[in-house]
Amino acid sequence: MSTTPRVVIIGAGIVGANLADELSTRGWTNITVVEQGPLTLAGGSTSHAPGLVFQTNASKAMTQFASYTVDKLLSLNESGVSCFNQVGGLEVATTPERLEDLKRKLGYAASWGVEGRLIDPDECAKHYPLLNQEKVLGGLYVPSDGLASAARAVGLLIAKASAAGVTFRGSTPVTGIEQSGGRVTGVETPDGVIPADIVVSCAGFWGPRIGAMVGMSVPLLPLAHQYVKTTSVPELVGRNDASRLLDPSNGAWMPILRHQDKDLYYREHGDRMGIGSYAHKPMPVDLRELPEVAASDMSEHRMPSRLPFTEEDFLPCWEDSKELLPALAGARIADGFNGIFSFTPDGGPLVGESKDVDGFFVAEAVWVTHSAGVARALAERLIEGQSRIPLHECEVSRFEEIQTAESYVSETSQQNFVEIYDVLHPLQPRVSPRELRVSPFNARQKELGAFFLEAHGWERPHWFEANRGLLEELPEEWKAPERESWAAMFHSSISAAEAWKTRTAVALYDMTPLKRLEVSGPGAVTLLQRLSAGKVDKKPGAVTYCLLLNDDGGIRSDITVARLDETTFQVGANGNIDFDYFTTEARKQTAGDVSQWVQVRDITGSTCCVGLWGPLAREVIAKVSDDDFSNDGLKYFRTKKVRIGGIPVTAMRLSYVGELGWELYTTAENGQRLWDLLFEAGQEQGIIAAGRGAFNSLRLEKGYRLWGTDVTPEHEPFQAGLGFSVGKDKEGYIGAEALKARRELPVNHRLRCLTVDDGTSVVLGKEPVYFRGEPSGYVSSAAYGYTVRKPIAYAWLPAEAGEGDAVEIEYFGKRIPATISADPLVDPNMEKLRG
């Protein structure tokens, strides 16, 4: 009899079937998969998915998910025919802007280990003879891309998992989720309750309905997407011999094709062509209005996820298609439908556990492209405690509460549909919705001409037009060279002046959007000691920078912990994922021992923070406070309660820009007054407001890592240059044993600081880095270093690449020479910060 947990998977589509297989392969076989439709044709997105798998993505994790999916589908075969037709993938450019974007995308492929190359129009036509070569400027060709037979893969996965002992129940809707004591205990169906220790919802666009059964918000919007099949195309007749194919619908000999300039993609179906379009208006779907389809009536042309075709929305795409592929002029639209797919506010999947109900997991908004990869990652998380591929970009808890509102999910998901093939800059802000979350300083920032970008709903100034006049005063050595057009987007030369003033005078930075948690109660110390690798059991007034590790020793997050009194701590965290983690762990701790009660509150919205930084910061603060801000009065990485102009403030001697100063916290209602007092007091010292553009440059010069960008859960502290934050001789914290074991292994990669040799070329991040002529790593963060007068990049490189070694960064197809440099570049002895 199996002793593994009882698992119920809701949904037998490509994700649920893969998850059942990944779990059973690892020895968990006490699994039941329930599907509301028939197992042979469930009627969800998998049933009509066209199956194109383009692996390359700006996200490393998403690329890795796709590559694993390709490998797994290739291994799934019947009668010697696999579930993946590896015909290659071709993305063509018909505009100069798209051609440049393909160069950038090729960089992603090189960074993440996917073989690809840019090809000219002649080679595009050789791979895809149907192309109108005169329309094409070039293309990106990835030979390992291709076509997934999703429905056939599901059938083979069900057979494989069933043979291992997994139970599959078709035509079994879920009517409720049973729970007791904050844990799932079973899944309700019309046939009775299926006992469960773990429930995983892989219900696709029905996911929000399942999540609601346990009170969990699943921020997903079902949207219809048009797909058509043509009549026979003469040029394809005889090319794909259906009689020799186990899956005739997957017959193809040309690469899968994207025409992103017109929001279109193409694949063959034997001698017919399939065309998918994102060019139409968004078509949100209300699940309550979906037609009921009996299991006995389900067919390829009749299923809940296949809505009636609206031909008028597709006709412009048909003309665009015939222009790109003239052979279509001899064909007609034979069949079309509007198929339902899942979209989210940021376009990513939703994977993770409910923060309120233990044992309830979701894996939603996962497309065929990433299905097996996400399933493997979730199986690893369930069995081993941690996925080998970091899941932070997919965590369902990554959204702030405002971002889970139905109106927000609807608007942003529809916008993602519209922009799915657009050329978007990494800093490109949303146009709407905006002004959702503003700091108490917002009115003053607008008066100073702030240029705002948005993140997690917060408006964040990147520079201030009021400082443009400083460019005339800016010393020649501080002036940065002009940037090329891509790097210049959402950038201003004013950032140079703001960095100069921070380094030589004093500046105010709005730090309010950074997540702040209050951890309090008799168990607060215990919780923080258990979760963090640093020693936080210090006297009140201490501030500690430390890491949260996963079970495998990888860096889950980095935080600052300020001990305000014996039982109260303020934690500077990275986002809502951290908040949910602390909340869940606090609940478990309190339930286990009431004497170790601990409360975790998100205090971000009720408080605010201004960073007052620069060599003249003490002169400014002395004008508005009688408290002792000398080095003896408030040492580096210490905190105390002070009064500034009568306002109660928590001052922390921290600086993310590498200059003397403090993070000054107060309640939201006092925020604007605090800003005004400091700004007025600093006029004699030349105080300015400064934005994120300068901030990012200064923090890279100081070598400060940004979690989620420079450091992720795939990295351990010592290879990331953060070993100093691990408490010496500390034991018993999460990840301690795994970290100790990893320390015994050779380090393969390290985070290195690079300086660009030509002094002018600014890259943006995720570009491949070549060491000894081979693609060996990738850029994590980059900026122009105004203090050091050259561009900076941090990159993950092989451990043997050391200081002084030459490397090359590939940027839009060009190799930019760079040198591995000492880290940090500015104030390595910490004299500015400790003075």
Side-chain angles (χ1 to χ4, degrees):
M1 183 176 179
S2 175
T3 58
T4 59
R6 298 168 299 178
V7 180
V8 175
I9 298 170
I10 301 171
I14 192 69
V15 181
N18 261 302
L19 179 58
D21 176 66
E22 294 289 337
L23 289 172
S24 60
T25 298
R26 289 166 173 77
W28 280 22
T29 56
N30 197 351
I31 300 167
T32 302
V33 182
V34 293
E35 168 57 53
Q36 65 178 348
L39 294 177
T40 53
L41 189 69
S45 298
T46 301
S47 301
H48 65 68
L52 286 77
V53 177
F54 289 93
Q55 298 166 83
T56 308
N57 193 290
S59 163
K60 181 180 180 181
M62 296 297 281
T63 301
Q64 291 175 314
F65 292 150
S67 295
Y68 179 76
T69 300
V70 167
D71 292 341
K72 183 166 184 179
L73 293 179
L74 281 169
S75 72
L76 278 176
N77 67 84
E78 182 181 7
S79 302
V81 179
S82 80
C83 291
F84 193 74
N85 188 353
Q86 203 159 37
V87 290
L90 177 62
E91 301 178 55
V92 294
T94 59
T95 63
E97 295 78 12
R98 181 67 60 183
L99 187 61
E100 289 301 299
D101 189 58
L102 293 183
K103 294 176 183 177
R104 182 172 64 118
K105 187 171 286 187
L106 178 62
Y108 295 149
S111 290
W112 316 142
V114 176
E115 179 191 350
R117 53 194 172 91
L118 285 172
I119 58 178
D120 62 21
D122 287 341
E123 191 170 354
C124 287
K126 289 178 182 177
H127 284 291
Y128 213 98
L130 271 58
L131 278 175
N132 178 355
Q133 191 173 335
E134 294 180 358
K135 292 283 295 180
V136 176
L137 302 180
L140 172 62
Y141 178 64
V142 176
S144 57
D145 288 344
L147 284 166
S149 294
R152 191 162 69 88
V154 167
L156 293 179
L157 288 166
I158 289 175
K160 183 184 175 195
S162 296
V166 175
T167 300
F168 287 83
R169 295 187 184 181
S171 303
T172 306
V174 171
T175 56
I177 308 292
E178 285 197 341
Q179 52 184 294
S180 177
R183 285 202 61 87
V184 294
T185 59
V187 173
E188 299 174 5
T189 75
D191 301 323
V193 175
I194 305 171
D197 304 301
I198 295 171
V199 175
V200 186
S201 175
C202 303
F205 57 78
W206 282 286
R209 180 179 294 175
I210 301 297
M213 294 177 181
V214 295
M216 182 180 183
S217 176
V218 179
L220 175 160
L221 180 71
L223 283 164
H225 158 58
Q226 290 198 302
Y227 192 78
V228 306
K229 291 181 183 178
T230 69
T231 57
S232 176
V233 178
E235 284 82 348
L236 296 180
V237 173
R239 291 283 191 174
N240 300 299
D241 187 352
S243 65
R244 292 185 294 131
L245 294 171
L246 190 64
D247 181 8
S249 68
N250 216 27
W253 62 278
M254 293 185 298
I256 55 176
L257 177 67
R258 273 177 173 164
H259 180 22
Q260 292 167 294
D261 289 318
K262 293 296 184 180
D263 295 316
L264 295 166
Y265 63 82
Y266 306 87
R267 59 151 295 179
E268 298 160 80
H269 292 276
D271 62 2
R272 305 163 71 192
M273 186 65 71
I275 307 171
S277 169
Y278 293 101
H280 55 83
K281 64 182 181 295
M283 302 176 184
V285 176
D286 187 339
L287 298 182
R288 293 168 298 185
E289 297 177 2
L290 287 184
E292 294 286 340
V293 181
S296 58
D297 294 334
M298 201 86 75
S299 70
E300 178 189 351
H301 296 280
R302 182 171 168 77
M303 62 180 77
S305 62
R306 182 181 167 118
L307 303 181
F309 184 54
T310 51
E311 186 177 22
E312 65 277 11
D313 292 307
F314 188 79
L315 289 178
C317 304
W318 181 236
E319 296 305 314
D320 290 331
S321 295
K322 288 188 289 186
E323 189 174 359
L324 182 71
L325 307 174
L328 295 180
R332 305 185 316 278
I333 298 173
D335 176 39
F337 64 94
N338 294 355
I340 304 176
F341 288 93
S342 301
F343 282 77
T344 62
D346 62 4
L350 305 173
V351 182
E353 186 176 14
S354 164
K355 69 181 178 66
D356 298 314
V357 182
D358 293 342
F360 182 83
F361 290 79
V362 300
E364 309 290 20
V366 182
W367 292 12
V368 171
T369 300
H370 311 106
S371 55
V374 169
R376 180 185 70 167
L378 184 53
E380 290 170 346
R381 178 167 173 178
L382 292 173
I383 296 174
E384 303 170 24
Q386 179 60 29
S387 161
R388 289 175 173 80
I389 296 175
L391 286 171
H392 60 284
E393 293 176 309
C394 308
E395 282 284 352
V396 67
S397 61
R398 68 188 180 270
F399 298 106
E400 296 291 321
E401 188 173 3
I402 188 68
Q403 295 176 295
T404 64
E406 186 175 338
S407 58
Y408 184 93
V409 172
S410 177
E411 181 175 352
T412 54
S413 297
Q414 290 183 61
Q415 190 62 31
N416 283 328
F417 179 94
V418 171
E419 295 177 345
I420 193 166
Y421 282 168
D422 287 1
V423 178
L424 300 176
H425 192 274
L427 294 176
Q428 191 130 355
R430 296 190 186 281
V431 175
S432 177
R434 293 294 295 270
E435 299 276 324
L436 295 177
R437 307 173 81 186
V438 297
S439 81
F441 318 133
N442 183 259
R444 296 294 183 256
Q445 292 165 348
K446 287 179 176 177
E447 291 169 2
L448 294 171
F451 178 86
F452 292 98
L453 295 182
E454 178 267 349
H456 305 294
W458 283 103
E459 297 294 326
R460 306 200 298 182
H462 274 243
W463 67 82
F464 292 86
E465 286 296 324
N467 296 326
R468 185 171 293 280
L470 293 174
L471 293 174
E472 298 178 5
E473 305 174 27
L474 192 65
E476 194 64 33
E477 64 270 21
W478 281 86
K479 294 180 179 178
E482 291 293 319
R483 300 187 179 196
E484 56 79 34
S485 58
W486 186 254
M489 291 180 69
F490 308 106
H491 161 77
S492 172
S493 57
I494 294 173
S495 292
E498 294 177 359
W500 167 57
K501 277 291 188 178
T502 307
R503 289 277 190 240
T504 60
V506 61
L508 290 177
Y509 286 84
D510 183 359
M511 306 300 288
T512 301
L514 301 185
K515 179 72 79 174
R516 288 177 295 286
L517 309 178
E518 181 187 85
V519 181
S520 62
V525 173
T526 302
L527 179 72
L528 292 167
Q529 281 285 90
R530 179 169 61 87
L531 300 188
S532 71
K535 293 184 177 181
V536 300
D537 190 7
K538 301 176 181 177
K539 294 179 180 179
V543 182
T544 307
Y545 171 80
C546 49
L547 303 176
L548 307 178
L549 303 185
N550 281 317
D551 292 333
D552 66 353
I555 302 172
R556 181 188 182 96
S557 188
D558 65 342
I559 60 174
T560 56
V561 180
R563 190 166 196 175
L564 304 183
D565 57 42
E566 289 293 336
T567 59
T568 308
F569 295 79
Q570 181 171 308
V571 175
N574 278 302
N576 209 55
I577 295 175
D578 289 345
F579 176 47
D580 275 15
Y581 179 55
F582 274 102
T583 301
T584 299
E585 291 299 322
R587 175 167 50 82
K588 292 177 181 177
Q589 177 175 302
T590 301
D593 184 353
V594 177
S595 69
Q596 288 295 303
W597 175 85
V598 58
Q599 181 184 56
V600 180
R601 294 195 305 130
D602 182 350
I603 61 171
T604 312
S606 61
T607 58
C608 60
C609 177
V610 59
L612 178 69
W613 292 314
L616 303 183
R618 279 204 181 101
E619 295 181 25
V620 175
I621 205 79
K623 296 180 181 181
V624 289
S625 179
D626 294 329
D627 287 283
D628 186 359
F629 281 86
S630 69
N631 194 45
D632 289 336
L634 185 57
K635 294 184 181 296
Y636 185 55
F637 262 76
R638 297 286 297 175
T639 183
K640 70 177 182 180
K641 303 286 188 180
V642 299
R643 291 275 181 173
I644 296 177
I647 299 171
V649 171
T650 299
M652 296 186 192
R653 178 90 180 272
L654 309 175
S655 173
Y656 207 51
V657 299
E659 292 293 332
L660 169 70
W662 311 271
E663 292 180 358
L664 304 172
Y665 297 89
T666 190
T667 50
E669 80 271 18
N670 286 316
Q672 183 170 293
R673 185 166 166 236
L674 176 63
W675 177 282
D676 289 345
L677 284 167
L678 294 170
F679 200 75
E680 178 61 30
Q683 290 305 301
E684 183 181 353
Q685 285 71 36
I687 196 170
I688 64 163
R692 301 286 298 183
F695 181 88
N696 193 50
S697 170
L698 298 171
R699 72 101 180 163
L700 281 175
E701 290 181 330
K702 193 68 184 78
Y704 290 143
R705 279 65 166 144
L706 179 62
W707 187 86
T709 301
D710 299 311
V711 177
T712 74
E714 69 180 299
H715 307 120
E716 55 91 359
F718 295 91
Q719 67 176 160
L722 297 174
F724 67 89
S725 66
V726 177
K728 188 177 180 181
D729 300 324
K730 184 181 178 183
E731 297 179 351
Y733 58 89
I734 291 176
E737 291 303 315
L739 179 60
K740 184 178 180 181
R742 287 174 74 155
R743 290 286 291 149
E744 301 297 322
L745 301 174
V747 174
N748 295 323
H749 288 79
R750 293 188 186 276
L751 186 62
R752 298 294 193 186
C753 176
L754 312 181
T755 52
V756 176
D757 294 351
D758 65 16
T760 60
S761 299
V762 177
V763 300
L764 298 179
K766 301 186 179 180
E767 296 86 1
V769 180
Y770 288 73
F771 175 59
R772 297 174 182 167
E774 297 294 327
S776 304
Y778 62 93
V779 172
S780 55
S781 289
Y784 186 86
Y786 300 108
T787 315
V788 298
R789 284 64 160 161
K790 61 182 68 175
I792 308 166
Y794 272 77
W796 281 96
L797 291 172
E800 61 266 27
E803 188 175 332
D805 283 343
V807 298
E808 292 178 308
I809 305 171
E810 186 178 288
Y811 184 68
F812 285 91
K814 298 178 181 178
R815 300 280 183 90
I816 300 172
T819 301
I820 300 177
S821 301
D823 173 22
L825 297 170
V826 170
D827 193 26
N829 296 322
M830 306 287 282
E831 294 170 356
K832 293 184 176 185
L833 289 171
R834 297 184 184 277

